[in-house]
Amino acid sequence: GLPHILFRRDMGTGYPPPQAVIHEWFNGTTWISEELFREKFSESFGTEVIHFALTPNGVVHAVWQPDTSTGYSIWYGTNRSGT
């Protein structure tokens, strides 16, 4: 299979800066990038890990914890249309 990665990227200024959860994959020729979600993550309690699963047809299902100081919620993002 071809490689897929998810990571957070700073998307602006301010404190904390807004960050996006980015999905990138290699299609055999070039790297392609898409933004799954954008939010201000906590700088002091932010997530260090984004877990994801990839279906055979390329749908990404990602979960992460944006801020451990706000009740330990888990967030979900996908690249599937309509969700």
Side-chain angles (χ1 to χ4, degrees):
L2 299 171
H4 290 254
I5 59 172
L6 269 73
F7 57 92
R8 290 184 349 189
R9 176 184 290 157
D10 286 348
M11 302 298 285
T13 59
Y15 185 81
Q19 293 183 327
V21 173
I22 304 292
H23 167 228
E24 289 190 353
W25 68 99
F26 189 71
N27 68 4
T29 304
T30 189
W31 283 92
I32 300 170
S33 181
E34 66 182 348
E35 183 177 314
L36 296 180
F37 187 82
R38 187 181 298 205
E39 183 59 71
K40 286 191 174 188
F41 291 84
S42 168
E43 287 295 309
S44 58
F45 297 103
T47 184
E48 295 296 325
V49 177
I50 301 169
H51 296 277
F52 74 98
L54 184 67
T55 67
N57 60 345
V59 176
V60 175
H61 298 278
V63 294
W64 64 95
Q65 191 170 10
D67 186 343
T68 58
S69 68
T70 60
Y72 304 100
S73 61
I74 302 292
W75 290 19
Y76 168 80
T78 184
N79 64 347
R80 187 175 72 188
S81 296
T83 59

